Amino acid sequence: RGRPQPGALVDSRGPVRPALPAAVFQRGACPRRPGAWELQFPRMGRWGLDVAFVWKALLTLGLVLLYYCFSIGITFYNKWLTKSFHFPLFMTMLHLAVIFLFSALSRALVQCSSHRARVVLSWTDYLRRVAPTALATALDVGLSNWSFLYITVSLYTMTKSSAVLFILIFSLIFKLEELRAALVLVVLLIAGGLFMFTYKSTQFNVEGFSLVLGASFIGGIRWTLTQMLLQKAELGLQNPIDTMFHLQPLMFLGLFPLFAIFEGLHLSTSEKIFRFQDTGLLLRVLGSLFLGGILAFGLGFSEFLLVSRTSSLTLSIAGIFKEVCTLLLAAHLLGDQISLLNWLGFALCLSGISLHVALKALHARGDGGPKPLKGLGSHPDLELLLRSSRPEEDDNEEEGEYFVAQGQQ
């Protein structure tokens, strides 16, 4: 039957079929079966590793820039819009309606593509578990937008950065964090930086500062409750699209009484909305509000996209530099007056946030390295949205980092 060619597969009857070149086989390479044949795949060259690294870096940079566009954009856009439209609560409610519309549309598209039913909570779980988170989120967003009527973008940005302080406090109360000396230092740095930034500020407004500080306080409750909500695997709300879909109706209802008390009568007599005389003006106003809703939805989705394709640590670090960019743009574009003491206070606050991020990173490394968030890029339907193929793993610590990063926004 002839002598088999090098690399050919053989049995008792002789060669069966040609195989790969003999160069890819080695004798005695397998430790379990000495002398057996083992397939050796060619190794990726250095240029291949360099290309992969460059591609990963460009992808991360692109996602960070996308997040910056939505995050910084919606801050300046809401500030610009409230200069001519003095109904921030109505603006927030319309944003909630737009977010609900886009999240419902996203759910429908994914369901049609994957043929998988989307999660729908029972009324008992919806009202008992989702309602507290929705109410806290509505007050956080509503008070934040309300404060734009009175304060500058720089003071707003600095005060909202203190949300990390309240997140840590409520995490300790709900036993999501353990009290450590490093956390006390983080609290002192952030609180001291906030005091220095507001001390003798030439553009300080008590009413606006109280609103945004109250929003930061409620934001601590909001993200703590959100973390607890998403950690309940039986609810099936690990996908933020599903979370936004379930939160928006209750947020709308929770914000409506506040809107009715403070803005209802004035809006009903306003010529820009209900008593309009110029149809073109009405369409422009509604179009401006609708665009703000698109930015709000894009912000939430870009945050989630950045975390799912990189890590929550990337979002945390990007959030720190985003605060710096926002203050520089506020001073350059809007003429916000920031003294040297204010800059020192801002630097002190950022150092506290950076310390907290570093502690989280070291703690995650001590537990075996960072892992992707549970539910991020792990489900087939989410694959259609993000094209991510990471394995599904449980990591509550990483979730905590994500929510702290979210609290900075």
Side-chain angles (χ1 to χ4, degrees), residues 19-218:
L20 295 176
V24 300
F25 289 89
Q26 291 181 359
R27 182 184 299 273
C30 181
R32 294 185 179 180
R33 298 177 57 190
W37 299 98
E38 181 185 26
L39 182 62
Q40 299 293 322
F41 292 97
R43 295 183 179 180
M44 180 183 295
R46 182 175 180 180
W47 65 271
L49 295 176
D50 292 340
V51 170
F53 174 79
V54 171
W55 168 249
K56 179 68 174 179
L58 291 177
L59 178 63
T60 302
L61 179 62
L63 292 176
V64 169
L65 292 178
L66 180 67
Y67 160 65
Y68 278 12
C69 289
F70 282 113
S71 182
I72 299 177
I74 194 173
T75 299
F76 283 89
Y77 186 82
N78 286 344
K79 178 60 179 179
W80 168 80
L81 190 58
T82 52
K83 290 182 179 179
S84 57
F85 188 79
H86 304 294
F87 304 102
L89 297 180
F90 177 79
M91 176 185 73
T92 304
M93 292 174 62
L94 191 58
H95 289 178
L96 299 178
V98 174
I99 295 174
F100 177 77
L101 175 64
F102 276 91
S103 59
L105 180 62
S106 301
R107 280 166 52 96
L109 291 176
V110 171
Q111 183 170 340
C112 292
S113 302
S114 63
H115 304 289
R116 290 167 54 92
R118 305 303 308 166
V119 59
V120 177
L121 298 181
S122 64
W123 282 106
T124 302
D125 289 334
Y126 191 52
L127 296 178
R128 183 166 58 92
R129 299 188 176 185
V130 179
T133 305
L135 180 60
T137 305
L139 291 177
D140 179 14
V141 178
L143 294 180
S144 297
N145 289 334
W146 197 354
S147 67
F148 278 127
L149 290 176
Y150 309 103
I151 63 174
T152 61
V153 171
S154 58
L155 182 58
Y156 167 84
T157 302
M158 177 62 195
T159 310
K160 283 292 287 183
S161 298
S162 66
V164 180
L165 171 66
F166 298 110
I167 291 176
L168 290 176
I169 294 175
F170 285 106
S171 296
L172 292 173
I173 294 176
F174 288 97
K175 299 186 184 303
L176 299 176
E177 289 274 3
E178 295 181 0
L179 182 60
R180 304 189 301 271
L183 289 182
V184 176
L185 179 59
V186 169
V187 170
L188 293 177
L189 287 174
I190 296 176
L194 180 62
F195 174 77
M196 291 175 62
F197 190 87
T198 57
Y199 182 72
K200 291 186 178 180
S201 177
T202 57
Q203 297 174 302
F204 182 80
N205 182 281
V206 177
E207 187 173 3
F209 177 74
S210 300
L211 286 172
V212 72
L213 188 62
S216 299
F217 176 81
I218 298 175

Side-chain angles (χ1 to χ4, degrees), residues 251-265:
M251 290 174 61
F252 188 94
L253 295 177
L255 202 59
F256 184 81
L258 203 62
F259 156 75
I261 295 173
F262 292 97
E263 295 181 1
L265 181 61

Side-chain angles (χ1 to χ4, degrees), residues 1-5 11-15:
R1 298 184 182 181
R3 186 176 182 178
Q5 298 178 357
D11 61 8
S12 60
R13 296 171 298 177

Side-chain angles (χ1 to χ4, degrees), residues 254-316:
L255 202 59
F256 184 81
L258 203 62
F259 156 75
I261 295 173
F262 292 97
E263 295 181 1
L265 181 61
H266 298 288
L267 186 65
S268 62
T269 58
S270 172
E271 296 182 356
K272 291 185 176 181
I273 299 293
F274 291 106
R275 297 186 61 187
F276 69 93
Q277 298 178 354
D278 185 359
T279 306
L281 176 61
L282 175 64
L283 293 178
R284 286 194 298 271
V285 171
L286 293 179
S288 300
L289 296 174
F290 188 81
L291 178 58
I294 295 177
L295 291 175
F297 177 81
L299 172 59
F301 193 78
S302 63
E303 288 173 341
F304 171 58
L305 191 63
L306 178 60
V307 172
S308 64
R309 300 307 297 265
T310 57
S311 67
S312 60
L313 180 61
T314 303
L315 177 62
S316 300

